[in-house]
């Protein structure tokens, strides 16, 4: 059909050389020479014969001048070439492609597998450098090769068990059944650890593709909205001296170091308004229905976030002691204690350091107590008797930064962001994101080397199937446990289910059909000799 279209629009011209550009004039099809209408005087034509094309079928490309009228005329002319349009009934042979149809045809013709198609979709929607890298790694087919290698391991393991079921009474095996089962169990345990690591890496890859959710947590007027505006470099949130300005969750996406970050500026948490089982007193009720709903949404956002930035403002000295206190609101402490330990990365930001004078000291005793409560960490005291951020025992669970969101804090007028500590915070966030998304290392044999980066390309669909595969492998281990008699039939069925899950990832059909399993049996045990 591709050549038919070409001959109709380029009458009298030789067929273009495959995979070479040819300059052609496009004409209205089925018209005589004197009255022939030119559609495009200079179109580049490419012809790609099957099967070595993107779809596995013949492909004809017209690169026409981009005016809407020319494009419309050429498309209308192509439709006229369809024999159905001239009389015979039946489905048209030439029509507009449905959404994703070229990719679907590539899949049906084994030009792309499902993992490559998913990575292609990620490539088209990538907005940041990290998203691009993950998507490109997924298009080179390494993930499919890995899953197929694991499926082959399960196929061979199942073949050994099938041999025990069908031929143990007729054939003599070099190893005893118990030794054979133990060998299969070792193979499965090794594969189980790889799949566990792959599931963890899939979570990390999803952070890169879907974006890292970052919650700004703090009391009213802590400076959360000001910090958000400085990070995104625009007025995304209203800033006011009035407490409780932010009532709803303000979501803003920004690229930080190649990572897509989804910030949530949340309502400030006030006393007596946090906690599901708390009895609301008059003070809480006086906040109003709207602000209470904002606080409820803020709590949900915090528990769903991947990263939490705790904004703690410095308070100006109220006496001659020259000590600027950093207070931790009771409600902030309460919600941090309720977090699942280790699941979210915490950044503590001491804000409004512009209020600290040259001779002033910062009192971080409340922050130290909070850390000791939720993680057993503590700030180290300096010679002045006050804990210091510079001596903080920083670990991968929590980092500390000092900032000011005031625009007039210019030690270096050419770089107000750097002088305010915002740049250091952004660098710290980027380093934290890198640590969060670094893939886990797991052992593999030399015949199937693992690429750490490629494992991040596993999608949510992959992860769910890997979790199912993990469940089947756990069932296998239970069936072959030495604590009771081995049920070889159920063990083999568990391996079949695990292999099916891996086959579904690449879309290559059901795993381990009868012929494949019998091939393994004959190869490894020489049945029928």
């Amino acid at each position: 059909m591709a050549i038919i279209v070409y001959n109709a629009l380029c009458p009298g011209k030789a067929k273009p050389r495959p995979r070479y550009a040819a300059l052609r004039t496009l004409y209205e099809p089925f018209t005589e020479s004197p009255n022939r209408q030119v559609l495009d005087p200079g179109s580049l034509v490419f012809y790609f014969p099957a099967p070595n094309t993107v779809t596995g079928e013949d492909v004809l490309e017209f690169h026409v001048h981009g005016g809407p009228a020319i494009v419309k005329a050429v498309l209308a002319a192509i439709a006229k070439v369809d024999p159905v349009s001239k009389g015979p009934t039946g489905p048209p042979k030439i029509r507009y492609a449905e959404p994703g149809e070229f990719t679907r045809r590539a899949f049906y013709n084994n030009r792309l597998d499902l993992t490559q198609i998913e990575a292609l979709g990620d490539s088209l929607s990538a907005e940041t450098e990290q998203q691009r890298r993950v998507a490109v790694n997924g298009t080179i087919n390494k993930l499919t090769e890995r899953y197929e290698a694991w499926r082959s391991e399960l196929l061979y393991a199942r073949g050994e068990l099938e041999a025990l079921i069908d031929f143990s009474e007729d054939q003599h095996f070099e190893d005893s059944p118990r030794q054979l089962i133990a060998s299969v169990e070792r193979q499965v345990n090794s594969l189980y650890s790889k799949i566990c690591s792959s599931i963890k890496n899939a979570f990390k890859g999803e952070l890169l593709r879907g974006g890292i959710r970052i919650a700004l947590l703090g009391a009213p007027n802590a400076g959360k909205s000001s910090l958000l505006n400085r990070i995104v470099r625009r007025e995304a949130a209203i800033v006011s001296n009035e407490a409780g300005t932010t009532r709803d969750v303000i979501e803003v996406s920004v690229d930080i170091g190649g990572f897509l970050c989804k910030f949530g500026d949340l309502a400030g948490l006030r006393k007596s308004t946090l906690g599901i089982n708390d009895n609301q007193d008059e003070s809480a009720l006086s906040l109003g229905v709207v602000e209470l709903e904002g606080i409820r949404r803020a709590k949900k956002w915090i528990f769903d976030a991947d990263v939490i930035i705790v904004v703690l403002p410095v308070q100006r000295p109220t006496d001659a002691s020259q000590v600027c206190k950093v207070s931790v609101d009771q409600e902030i402490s309460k919600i941090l204690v309720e977090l699942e330990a280790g699941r979210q990365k915490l950044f503590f930001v001491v804000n409004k350091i512009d209020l600290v004078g040259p001779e002033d000291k910062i009192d971080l005793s409340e922050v130290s107590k909070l850390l000791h409560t939720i993680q057993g960490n503590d700030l180290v005291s300096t010679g002045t008797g006050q804990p210091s951020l510079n001596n903080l025992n920083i670990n991968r669970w929590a980092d500390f930064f000092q900032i000011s969101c005031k625009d007039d804090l210019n030690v270096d007028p050419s770089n107000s962001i750097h002088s305010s500590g915002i740049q250091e915070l952004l660098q710290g966030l980027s380093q934290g994101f890198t640590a969060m998304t670094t893939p886990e290392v797991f052992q593999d044999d030399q015949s199937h080397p693992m690429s750490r980066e490629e494992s991040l390309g596993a999608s949510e669909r992959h992860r769910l199937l890997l979790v199912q595969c993990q469940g089947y492998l756990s069932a296998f281990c239970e069936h072959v446990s030495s604590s009771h008699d081995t049920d070889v039939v159920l063990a083999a069925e568990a391996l079949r289910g695990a292999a099916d899950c891996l086959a579904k990832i690449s879309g290559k059909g059901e795993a381990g059909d009868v012929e494949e399993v019998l091939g393994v049996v004959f190869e490894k045990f020489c049945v029928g000799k």
Side-chain angles (χ1 to χ4, degrees), residues 172 218 385 408:
H172 174 70
D408 57 355

Side-chain angles (χ1 to χ4, degrees), residues 199-219:
I199 292 172
K200 294 178 182 178
N201 290 341
F203 274 115
K204 297 180 178 183
E206 191 59 31
L207 290 178
L208 297 176
R209 280 188 300 273
I212 301 173
R213 290 169 58 90
I214 304 173
L216 296 177
L217 172 63

Side-chain angles (χ1 to χ4, degrees), residues 449-464:
M450 293 295 179
S451 172
R452 297 174 62 188
E453 295 294 331
E454 290 160 6
S455 61
L456 296 176
S459 67
E460 177 69 5
R461 185 182 68 86
H462 301 177
R463 186 187 67 81
L464 294 176

Side-chain angles (χ1 to χ4, degrees), residues 354-386:
D354 52 285
L355 299 179
V356 181
E359 303 298 326
D360 293 338
K361 302 178 181 63
I362 301 178
D363 180 5
L364 298 171
S365 56
E366 289 193 19
V367 181
S368 177
K369 181 186 295 186
L370 172 63
L371 283 180
H372 184 75
T373 301
I374 62 180
Q375 195 67 11
N377 203 354
D378 205 352
L379 296 173
V380 179
S381 178
T382 63
T384 61
Q386 300 294 343

Side-chain angles (χ1 to χ4, degrees), residues 35 56 59 64 74 196 244 401 406 455 523:
N35 301 320
V59 174
V64 301
V74 172
C196 289
F401 297 90
K406 293 190 66 173
S455 61
E523 175 186 344

Side-chain angles (χ1 to χ4, degrees), residues 149-169:
W150 289 350
R151 189 179 77 91
S152 296
E153 291 182 31
L154 292 174
L155 177 64
Y156 277 92
R158 182 187 167 199
E160 293 176 346
L161 295 183
E162 295 281 0
L164 279 180
I165 297 171
D166 297 332
F167 308 107
S168 59
E169 296 181 358

Side-chain angles (χ1 to χ4, degrees), residues 93-106:
K93 294 184 178 180
I94 297 178
R95 58 174 175 79
Y96 286 108
E98 297 176 356
E101 185 169 358
F102 284 98
T103 304
R104 185 166 65 250
R105 292 191 178 206

Side-chain angles (χ1 to χ4, degrees), residues 19 38 96 112 126 154 175 192 208 267 305 319-320 390 395 426 473 479:
R19 294 176 175 79
V38 176
Y96 286 108
L112 294 173
L154 292 174
D175 299 327
Y192 182 87
L208 297 176
D319 51 28
N390 295 329
N395 56 32
L426 295 179
L473 296 183
H479 294 316

